[in-house]
Amino acid sequence: MTAIAYHGIVDAESQREVMEALLRGAAGLDVECTHPIVSVEEVSLEGAGPRSLSYRLLSRPYGLLAAKVYRRPPPVDREWLLLRFLAASSLPLVPRPLCRASLEGRTYMVVHEYVEGVPAATLFIEAAKQSLKTGVATVPSEAGALGVAVAAIHSALASCRESWCMPEEPTEAMVERWMSRLAIRASMIEDLARGLPADEARIVYDAASALRQLHQREWRGLLGGVAMQTHGDLHLYQVLVSRSGRIVVTDFEGEPSRQPAGAMEKEHPERDLAALLRSLDYASVLAAQALGGRTVESAIETARGELRGWVEASYRIVEASYVDTLSRAGLPGEVSRERLAFWLVERASYEIVYELKYRTGYHLIPATALLEALEGGLDWLAR
């Protein structure tokens, strides 16, 4: 749906009257609300991603709300399912869902509580910059709370007894599908590397080769643990910290370029921890780049030389609070080093495909991580 505005073509949902009409079932939409919205007073576009548009609504009677409109309605609305389940578990760590609008059985729009806060990424990048200046690893105080939040979400999801989210023992078929992602993405990386500058292309092709070799390893630990629904794309920009210090985890729709993985595939909970650790790696590079005005390649070199200890220290605090929270709840809190290492490789393989596909300029960050993984760069996890 589009409409013509004075400044050009805009999405129709950005008009107050259109948004209000859609929430009342216009254009053949089937609207389901846990808390009915009386009216929409204002609408503003907040962000546009590969799969969806995000709007901020001023509504009655709930004040500020967030609306996510899908460019192409997904076959399964992962976000609505997870938010509904977690809200029913009385978990204050996720936005409260209010309405879903569907078109021909597929979700077109989801409306939930609007959370005002600072992305955790901002806090961690600032801490990394401070660490670079002083030479002392400065970890944000929110690191422990982040581990607690992830543990609480995993604990709630582990209690699910519906087929789409009930935890189960990993099977050989599951492991085969997880492993196949590495080989498939290696080919995708090589295809997407075409057109890169020669020096960058060489690094990316080497990363694809490293991924193939990592695929050949025997990851025997993948048959252990539990497979369950997780957040699915848990990086530091998906976590908001409010003025009161409340941690809120957002955006449960999963990774934008998840292929060949399915949206509802169950995975080890270590995958969310791996995504956070990979996000800390990004934060270290972005901090180095911001301080020195460096290229991505030189920022990676600085981060590896001066912020590796900061990344490790930050992650250890997150993991320690995660394990402690699960243990206090009477749940197994052990984090498997082998499973964590595998999901770090898998996540980096996703990241490099994403960065190359959308030409963000950050493909060398996950490429470097894959090369390091092959050369023993994950050995510190066992210490």
Side-chain angles (χ1 to χ4, degrees):
M1 296 183 182
T2 57
I4 304 298
Y6 174 75
H7 56 279
I9 298 177
V10 297
D11 291 279
E13 299 87 357
S14 62
Q15 298 184 37
R16 183 193 68 78
E17 297 85 355
V18 173
M19 179 64 77
E20 189 169 80
L22 291 174
L23 287 171
R24 290 177 179 170
L29 293 179
D30 179 24
V31 180
E32 167 193 0
C33 288
T34 57
H35 302 80
I37 298 170
V38 175
S39 66
V40 176
E41 308 297 325
E42 295 177 14
V43 180
S44 58
L45 180 66
E46 285 229 313
R51 292 186 301 181
S52 59
L53 302 169
S54 299
Y55 295 92
R56 185 171 75 166
L57 314 182
L58 179 60
S59 72
R60 285 196 300 118
Y62 301 108
L64 289 178
L65 297 175
K68 177 179 289 185
V69 178
Y70 293 99
R71 296 180 187 274
R72 293 184 179 179
V76 179
D77 187 2
R78 187 178 193 277
E79 182 157 37
W80 180 254
L81 284 171
L82 285 166
L83 286 180
R84 282 286 301 271
F85 177 81
L86 293 171
S89 303
S90 301
L91 203 64
L93 300 164
V94 300
R96 180 176 52 134
L98 277 82
C99 293
R100 173 175 64 169
S102 302
L103 182 64
E104 298 178 352
R106 291 192 172 194
T107 300
Y108 169 74
M109 175 169 59
V110 172
V111 179
H112 58 70
E113 168 194 8
Y114 185 88
V115 181
E116 292 192 85
V118 177
T122 300
L123 303 177
F124 278 86
I125 290 170
E126 287 302 314
K129 288 162 66 175
Q130 184 65 22
S131 300
L132 269 177
K133 292 176 183 177
T134 63
V136 178
T138 303
V139 179
S141 58
E142 291 80 8
L146 179 54
V148 171
V150 178
I153 291 171
H154 285 178
S155 178
L157 290 172
S159 70
C160 182
R161 291 299 174 262
E162 298 179 45
S163 60
W164 65 272
C165 57
M166 181 183 291
E168 54 187 293
E169 291 185 5
T171 64
E172 290 186 1
M174 282 183 183
V175 173
E176 186 176 344
R177 287 197 300 272
W178 297 336
M179 292 284 293
S180 70
R181 298 179 194 177
L182 307 189
I184 293 171
R185 286 176 182 159
S187 296
M188 294 172 70
I189 291 166
E190 290 170 339
D191 290 341
L192 290 166
R194 294 170 185 164
L196 289 176
D199 55 340
E200 293 185 13
R202 176 184 54 78
I203 296 172
V204 170
Y205 284 126
D206 286 347
S209 175
L211 188 55
R212 284 200 169 87
Q213 294 176 68
L214 290 163
H215 171 253
Q216 295 301 318
R217 287 189 180 176
E218 291 189 31
W219 300 92
R220 296 180 180 177
L222 295 183
L223 277 173
V226 63
M228 57 184 281
Q229 291 297 338
T230 63
H231 179 279
D233 189 20
L234 191 54
H235 56 76
L236 292 169
Y237 279 104
Q238 309 282 41
V239 180
L240 297 176
V241 182
S242 71
R243 288 184 178 179
S244 65
R246 176 191 174 196
I247 296 282
V248 180
V249 180
T250 67
D251 201 350
F252 284 78
E253 67 178 298
E255 295 163 331
S257 297
R258 191 167 164 77
Q259 302 88 348
M264 299 304 294
E265 278 194 50
K266 296 174 184 177
E267 297 160 333
H268 293 113
E270 282 91 347
R271 190 177 195 278
D272 277 347
L273 295 176
L276 280 176
L277 179 47
R278 290 291 313 125
S279 192
L280 288 168
D281 180 27
Y282 270 77
S284 70
V285 176
L286 293 175
Q289 189 177 29
L291 271 187
R294 302 175 176 89
T295 64
V296 174
E297 193 167 5
S298 62
I300 291 172
E301 185 177 345
T302 299
R304 290 299 186 273
E306 301 180 45
L307 286 174
R308 190 183 296 273
W310 175 84
V311 171
E312 294 180 12
S314 298
Y315 173 74
R316 290 193 189 282
I317 291 175
V318 172
E319 185 186 289
S321 61
Y322 172 85
V323 170
D324 181 64
T325 302
L326 288 180
S327 298
R328 289 174 183 272
L331 296 170
E334 181 183 358
V335 175
S336 162
R337 298 297 121 186
E338 183 180 9
R339 290 195 291 273
L340 180 60
F342 171 80
W343 289 114
L344 282 166
V345 170
E346 190 275 344
R347 175 68 179 189
S349 76
Y350 157 77
E351 290 168 349
I352 190 171
V353 169
Y354 177 91
E355 309 292 10
L356 288 169
K357 182 177 180 180
Y358 295 104
R359 288 300 194 252
T360 63
Y362 289 110
H363 47 273
L364 293 181
I365 300 176
T368 301
L370 289 173
L371 291 170
E372 290 175 341
L374 182 64
E375 298 166 1
L378 301 179
D379 291 350
W380 68 270
L381 293 172
R383 295 199 294 269

